[in-house]
Amino acid sequence: MTLPEYLAEFINIKPQDDQVEIYFDDFTWDGQTPVSNEVLLYQMPLTQWKKNKEKYISRILNNKKYFCICGQCGKVNHHGHMHDTYICQECAQKYYHVVY
């Protein structure tokens, strides 16, 4: 899976008549169970979305509130896949022996 495909899994675009709503699939953890929550990021006229789609997607992808870069492996991760602000869960397990 490419990075854009991975990131696109967490962004949902829902047309509503002449409007469009853009959601981010956020999740937190309840123990070992992910708890999903859709967060409305943008609501706008469909014509505005079509004209500025790349700009809005870029804003989401570059917002550290939604996606982070692991300081250990350098991969982009959904913030829900981060162990903390700097290390992804995969690296926390592999290099720091964290058990989830």
Side-chain angles (χ1 to χ4, degrees):
M1 176 182 314
T2 66
L3 181 58
E5 290 171 338
Y6 167 76
L7 299 176
E9 285 185 14
F10 304 108
I11 299 171
N12 294 317
I13 300 152
K14 298 180 180 181
Q16 304 286 334
D17 299 319
D18 62 344
Q19 298 280 314
V20 67
E21 295 177 343
I22 296 88
Y23 291 88
F24 174 70
D25 282 337
D26 197 9
F27 63 89
T28 55
W29 294 92
D30 182 13
Q32 293 185 342
T33 306
V35 179
S36 183
N37 181 38
E38 273 194 333
V39 178
L40 177 63
L41 299 178
Y42 299 109
Q43 185 176 24
M44 67 191 72
L46 188 56
T47 54
Q48 181 181 346
W49 168 250
K50 288 178 180 179
K51 184 192 268 186
N52 298 302
K53 180 179 180 177
E54 291 80 19
K55 179 175 82 171
Y56 287 104
I57 295 292
S58 180
R59 281 185 191 170
I60 298 166
L61 299 180
N62 291 306
N63 189 329
K64 292 186 188 299
K65 183 177 177 182
Y66 307 117
F67 296 100
C68 303
I69 298 173
C70 175
Q72 185 77 39
C73 67
K75 292 181 183 175
V76 176
N77 289 277
H78 184 288
H79 77 93
H81 288 150
M82 296 294 287
H83 172 71
D84 59 24
T85 309
Y86 304 103
I87 305 293
C88 70
Q89 291 175 343
E90 185 177 338
C91 287
Q93 288 179 314
K94 185 175 182 178
Y95 300 109
Y96 301 99
H97 309 292
V98 174
V99 177
Y100 292 101

